[in-house]
Amino acid sequence: IERTFIAVKLDGVQRGLVSEIIGRFERKGYKLVAIKSVVPSRPIAEAHYGDLRARPFFKGLVDYMTSGRAPVIAMVWEGPDVIRQGRRIIGATNPMDAQPGSIRGDFTLTVGRNIIHGSDSFESATFEIGLWFDPEEVYNWRFTNEEWVVSQN
Ligand code: GTP
Ligand code: MG
């Protein structure tokens, strides 16, 4: 099994797109194994975007994420190839490059308001899940209808 960290950022929450975003992952067949509403602390936001520390927009991005103008909806989703497929469901970073049919392609116009985050690799998924969630907040459960969603061959 594979897991990824997905977060609806505050712009997505303010725009009322939480259920739309959750619905797209849910309908695809992925399993929600953790979810919480949170205003991240500065250390968590800085660590989350650590790879962007040298970029000119870094401070503004961290200020924005920690502003408390709305919470972030942090989630862990599980299922086959969910890291890579999650990125496809989300679409390109820049909304002008995001395909129609993707979340960013359908709902966003600018990179600073692209409403959602998704881990970009196994390493970042592992790091981000551990950063945002305590182990006991991630719950293992079984789909009772799994045989109708995932075949064994
Ligand atoms: P995430 O899933 O959010 O990590 O996006 P990404 O992996 O598609 O892009 P990346 O990790 O490079 O950037 C993380 C976030 O920083 C983006 O989602 C944007 O919100 C923000 N960001 C990236 N590039 C820019 C930029 O040029 N200007 C501004 N204002 N924000 C940016
Ligand atoms: Mg990224």
Side-chain angles (χ1 to χ4, degrees), residues 9 49 52 57 61 87 93 104 111-112 114 116-118:
K9 299 191 275 191
Y49 287 123
L52 302 173
F57 56 83
L61 181 59
R87 297 278 294 185
T93 307
R104 287 169 176 164
V111 72
N114 64 5
I116 181 168
H117 163 83

Side-chain angles (χ1 to χ4, degrees), residues 67-83:
S67 69
R69 294 169 67 202
V72 172
I73 305 301
M75 298 177 277
V76 181
W77 286 88
E78 180 181 294
D81 203 32
V82 67
I83 299 169

Side-chain angles (χ1 to χ4, degrees), residues 20-128:
E20 172 70 38
I21 288 167
I22 289 177
R24 288 181 178 219
F25 281 84
E26 217 172 23
R27 294 196 299 270
K28 174 72 173 170
Y30 288 127
K31 186 195 294 179
L32 184 58
V33 295
I35 183 168
K36 66 180 169 186
S37 175
V38 59
V39 176
S41 67
R42 199 155 191 100
I44 286 184
E46 286 177 348
H48 176 78
Y49 287 123
D51 56 325
L52 302 173
R53 208 170 280 271
R55 306 290 287 277
F57 56 83
F58 177 75
K59 186 179 180 297
L61 181 59
V62 171
D63 287 347
Y64 176 66
M65 290 291 284
T66 58
S67 69
R69 294 169 67 202
V72 172
I73 305 301
M75 298 177 277
V76 181
W77 286 88
E78 180 181 294
D81 203 32
V82 67
I83 299 169
R84 192 167 68 94
Q85 297 307 320
R87 297 278 294 185
R88 295 180 69 208
I89 291 167
I90 289 169
T93 307
N94 184 338
M96 292 302 159
D97 298 326
Q99 296 283 347
S102 68
I103 290 168
R104 287 169 176 164
D106 286 350
F107 300 114
T108 72
L109 289 170
T110 61
V111 72
R113 294 289 184 271
N114 64 5
I115 72 171
I116 181 168
H117 163 83
S119 306
D120 60 13
S121 66
F122 176 79
E123 291 69 29
S124 64
T126 304
F127 172 74
E128 290 164 6

